[in-house]
Amino acid sequence: MNGTIAVTVVLKLVLWLLVIAVATVLLRRRAVTKNLRTAFLIGGILVFGILFGLLATAQFDPNPVDILRNVTRLITGQQPQAGQVQQSRMVMAAVFLVVLLGISVLSNKAVCGWICHFGLLQDLVHKVPVPKWKPSLKVTNTVRGIAFVGLIVGLVTAGLDWIGVIDPFRMFRFDFFLAGGIFFAVILVASLFIYRPWCQFVCPFGFLSWVAEQFSLMRPRVHWDQCKKCRQCVKACPTGAMADFYAEKKIHADCFACGACLDACPQPDALKWRKK
């Protein structure tokens, strides 16, 4: 890995960790307002999407999905003739994946919710005031699970990578191609009505991090002695996660750590982002 790419990769990782650290502090203080959240969405798209998109290369573009794909190739030996540079990129991808999944165990989907530029763009589009649909976890995970298995089995058995056909992250590198452009547009239109359709229905890292977040230390915690049961938190949640937390279910829908539930709760001590 040449010096420029290495510096870019390390810088991106550091900024990722910094944003997530700041986001976690804000969540714990219940300080994520709608305007602040919007500012983070726009800033993340500009920095992680456009700026780092200009710096990225076709061979190495650190994002949660590409990292998972590269690690799968590394594990299954899909790079049999890889040189030292390629091998170092694969090892770096493995380190990234461990870090990102570790964050999911620490603080739910903070990775997807705060640093994934394609997720941030969908999130921003979803703010347009049109009728919304919240698909159930059963529906989203069935589709996403099939997509995840298809990716892994395809890579392992035949080196087939269906994401490469429609990879939406290439749009941020200004690497435009017909299938990707059409898919990118479809996802953005769907984002008007469904919160993060790529993340909930397609993203393989989203599926893996959903598994990890079931063991997350920090998440919305209801303090029932303070809760007035107004359910404003459930209404504000863009997915079914807060409804699952409210019902104290063991398995919950994707929580993207957006802070909407905390901002909506009228009781200062009824809902907090914290460990048990």
Side-chain angles (χ1 to χ4, degrees):
M1 184 180 297
N2 66 49
T4 301
I5 293 178
V7 170
T8 301
V9 169
V10 172
L11 177 60
K12 190 170 191 179
L13 178 59
V14 170
L15 288 178
W16 275 356
L17 295 176
L18 178 61
V19 169
I20 288 173
V22 171
T24 301
V25 171
L26 292 172
L27 288 167
R28 287 182 63 82
R29 294 181 178 180
R30 290 186 48 164
V32 181
T33 63
K34 291 181 180 179
N35 290 338
L36 182 62
R37 174 67 177 167
T38 300
F40 267 91
L41 294 177
I42 295 173
I45 294 166
L46 293 176
V47 175
F48 298 129
I50 296 177
L51 177 59
F52 278 96
L54 293 172
L55 298 175
T57 66
Q59 291 73 36
F60 199 68
D61 177 18
N63 62 70
V65 176
D66 197 57
I67 288 168
L68 176 60
R69 293 158 70 200
N70 279 335
V71 170
T72 303
R73 294 188 186 100
L74 175 66
I75 294 173
T76 59
Q78 295 296 322
Q79 301 288 341
Q81 299 179 350
Q84 184 175 358
V85 172
Q86 185 65 19
Q87 289 175 355
S88 67
R89 290 176 179 172
M90 291 297 191
V91 172
M92 181 68 76
V95 172
F96 268 52
L97 182 62
V98 170
V99 171
L100 297 185
L101 290 178
I103 292 170
S104 298
V105 173
L106 174 65
S107 194
N108 273 8
K109 270 185 157 51
V111 168
C112 306
W114 291 85
I115 65 171
C116 176
H117 44 283
F118 189 39
L120 300 180
L121 180 58
Q122 295 170 78
D123 207 316
L124 186 63
V125 172
H126 190 70
K127 290 184 176 293
V128 176
V130 296
K132 310 297 183 184
W133 174 49
K134 292 184 184 181
S136 69
L137 178 62
K138 182 178 180 179
V139 171
T140 59
N141 259 10
T142 297
V143 178
R144 189 170 55 178
I146 293 172
F148 179 83
V149 172
L151 176 67
I152 301 302
V153 172
L155 285 172
V156 170
T157 60
L160 298 176
D161 179 4
W162 64 262
I163 286 184
V165 179
I166 47 89
D167 187 0
F169 291 91
R170 287 172 59 180
M171 299 297 107
F172 293 94
R173 300 200 306 267
F174 299 94
D175 180 11
F176 301 110
F177 61 110
L178 182 60
I182 293 174
F183 182 78
F184 190 81
V186 168
I187 291 296
L188 291 188
V189 171
S191 297
L192 290 168
F193 312 100
I194 305 170
Y195 186 72
R196 292 175 173 249
W198 161 268
C199 309
Q200 292 199 75
F201 282 95
V202 185
C203 181
F205 178 82
F207 181 77
L208 195 59
S209 63
W210 171 81
V211 175
E213 73 166 298
Q214 302 306 310
F215 307 96
S216 182
L217 298 176
M218 286 186 284
R219 62 177 64 170
R221 306 281 185 183
V222 179
H223 293 254
W224 295 107
D225 57 331
Q226 299 291 327
C227 179
K228 303 300 183 183
K229 298 180 174 57
C230 66
R231 295 178 61 88
Q232 291 301 312
C233 57
V234 174
K235 296 175 184 177
C237 178
T239 69
M242 194 58 227
D244 292 338
F245 293 138
Y246 195 85
E248 299 186 316
K249 293 183 179 180
K250 292 183 178 180
I251 303 298
H252 64 268
D254 298 73
C255 172
F256 290 91
C258 69
C261 57
L262 300 168
D263 186 48
C265 179
Q267 303 299 322
D269 297 315
L271 185 65
K272 294 183 179 181
W273 188 270
R274 56 177 297 172
K275 297 185 289 185
K276 289 183 179 181

